[in-house]
Amino acid sequence: MTLEACQMYLLLWRPFDVYIRHFILKSTFVGWGVPALIVLTVVAADKNNYGPIYNMCWITKSALQYCLVLGYYGVVFIFTTAMLVAMIFKIVQIKQANKQTYNGNTSICKFTSTFLGLACLLGTTWGLGFFTIITQSLTTQYLFCIINSLYGFFLFLWICARWNNEKKTCQENSSNS
């Protein structure tokens, strides 16, 4: 999610200066390396901190688990939310610079679908999971499970809506010419 937020930032804020040498390789090292570094640090500190729980490898000490999971996700959640706000700000700024007229309900619907699509793409729905750990609310747990189970479906709908928009635009452009 953090890497996706970085890539979206580069595409919106620096559209003509996006090329980074070996970007995929660097992203892979960051995406796999940071979590691996955290696990290796936990194991290096004490081998008993990490081991099998319920037939899976996990942090065995609950206080350490609580701090690491909340801390790691807290940083990711804050970063992706900040990137979401920055992207929405940039989109509004671009629309105002192009002096596009706002057509009441259509504009609100487009803005809402863009916001929800970006929120899903950046994983801010996982914020519910973050607050589930803190509050232990059953309602939040159900919302978290339902929304994240439908995550792919939401992205599918968003992509279909964007594709239909582009298709209509292409048809209008071809009929005008």
Side-chain angles (χ1 to χ4, degrees):
M1 291 178 288
T2 303
L3 293 173
E4 182 66 31
C6 287
Q7 188 170 8
M8 297 279 297
Y9 169 80
L10 290 173
L11 289 172
L12 272 176
W13 287 88
R14 294 178 19 188
F16 301 112
D17 186 26
V18 174
Y19 182 75
I20 298 172
R21 286 188 57 161
H22 307 294
F23 181 73
I24 299 293
L25 185 63
K26 291 174 184 176
S27 296
T28 303
F29 281 129
V30 171
W32 287 88
V34 171
L37 186 63
I38 291 171
V39 170
L40 289 174
T41 304
V42 168
V43 171
D46 185 7
K47 290 180 185 178
N48 295 326
N49 286 339
Y50 197 79
I53 296 178
Y54 306 116
N55 296 325
M56 65 179 181
C57 286
W58 196 247
I59 301 167
T60 56
K61 297 195 175 158
S62 61
L64 183 62
Q65 175 186 353
Y66 195 75
C67 290
L68 282 176
V69 171
L70 279 179
Y72 184 74
Y73 184 70
V75 169
V76 171
F77 179 68
I78 290 168
F79 180 76
T80 56
T81 303
M83 286 295 111
L84 175 66
V85 169
M87 282 182 248
I88 293 298
F89 175 76
K90 188 66 172 181
I91 289 169
V92 168
Q93 189 180 40
I94 289 170
K95 285 186 185 265
Q96 287 176 348
N98 291 338
K99 296 180 181 162
Q100 293 180 348
T101 58
Y102 291 102
N103 182 8
N105 292 338
T106 306
S107 175
I108 292 170
C109 288
K110 282 184 180 181
F111 180 78
T112 304
S113 68
T114 301
F115 177 77
L116 292 174
L118 283 172
C120 283
L121 187 64
L122 294 176
T124 51
T125 55
W126 277 83
L128 287 172
F130 182 72
F131 294 117
T132 297
I133 295 172
I134 295 171
T135 62
Q136 298 296 317
S137 167
L138 189 61
T139 306
T140 311
Q141 290 175 3
Y142 276 117
L143 281 173
F144 174 70
C145 288
I146 291 168
I147 290 173
N148 282 305
S149 296
L150 296 172
Y151 178 76
F153 181 68
F154 290 153
L155 285 177
F156 172 74
L157 289 178
W158 187 61
I159 290 169
C160 286
R162 304 295 278 172
W163 184 71
N164 282 337
N165 250 353
E166 290 176 14
K167 189 176 177 182
K168 286 178 188 176
T169 304
C170 287
Q171 287 175 350
E172 287 173 3
N173 289 340
S174 66
S175 66
N176 289 341
S177 60

